[in-house]
Amino acid sequence: MKKLVIAFVIPLTIISLLGFTKWWYVDVVDGTDGIMYGFPLIYKSLGFHTSKSNQYFFLEFLFDVVCYFVFWTLLFYLIKKILKTIKIRKASTIFLYTIAGLIIILEMLFVVDPTNIFKIKRGFDIEVN
């Protein structure tokens, strides 16, 4: 199972978390409405102080990472239980890590902006539309 986690679960967690996450259109109480990102919890929001900034929430992001990791681990565990064996091909592992790496690089281009705000937890209320 350790080889499956390294070969498939980690890159699929990164791809699904950063590449295919849910977008929420929300109204911020005492603020402006906007699009926020993350599932099951919102971990990224538009910044309120400038138009080009983002806010990142660490605890929500960590919770989302754990949820995605557990989901993919359970899925591969069930597949392995049914099929008894899963062949790990080097080409598929390299492909998944390449896609995950490209997604991380693209996301880091936005994260390193000096106008971004990093918070431990989201400190404002929202209403999901």
Side-chain angles (χ1 to χ4, degrees):
M1 191 67 191
K2 181 180 175 183
K3 289 182 181 180
L4 283 176
V5 168
I6 292 171
F8 294 115
V9 173
I10 291 173
L12 286 174
T13 299
I14 293 168
I15 292 168
S16 59
L17 177 71
L18 298 177
F20 301 111
T21 191
K22 182 171 175 49
W23 294 22
W24 305 80
Y25 184 75
V26 300
D27 288 329
V28 178
V29 176
D30 294 332
T32 61
D33 56 340
I35 296 178
M36 298 186 182
Y37 309 91
F39 183 79
L41 300 177
I42 294 170
Y43 66 84
K44 179 179 164 183
S45 166
L46 295 175
F48 299 138
H49 63 290
T50 70
S51 62
K52 299 282 185 184
S53 70
N54 290 316
Q55 299 180 66
Y56 294 92
F57 313 113
F58 179 73
L59 290 179
E60 286 86 347
F61 181 75
L62 187 63
F63 182 78
D64 286 358
V65 169
V66 169
C67 286
Y68 281 81
F69 184 79
V70 167
F71 169 77
W72 286 112
T73 303
L74 289 175
L75 184 68
F76 276 98
Y77 176 76
L78 292 174
I79 291 171
K80 184 177 178 184
K81 196 115 166 126
I82 292 169
L83 298 178
K84 303 294 184 209
T85 182
I86 298 175
K87 293 186 180 192
I88 301 172
R89 292 198 163 72
K90 190 173 183 176
S92 62
T93 303
I94 290 172
F95 176 75
L96 286 174
Y97 271 101
T98 302
I99 298 298
L102 289 173
I103 289 174
I104 286 176
I105 289 169
L106 288 173
E107 186 68 26
M108 288 307 292
L109 291 174
F110 296 107
V111 172
V112 298
D113 185 5
T115 61
N116 289 340
I117 296 175
F118 298 91
K119 295 183 178 181
I120 299 294
K121 189 173 179 348
R122 181 172 47 90
F124 53 87
D125 294 326
I126 59 171
E127 294 177 11
V128 178
N129 292 331

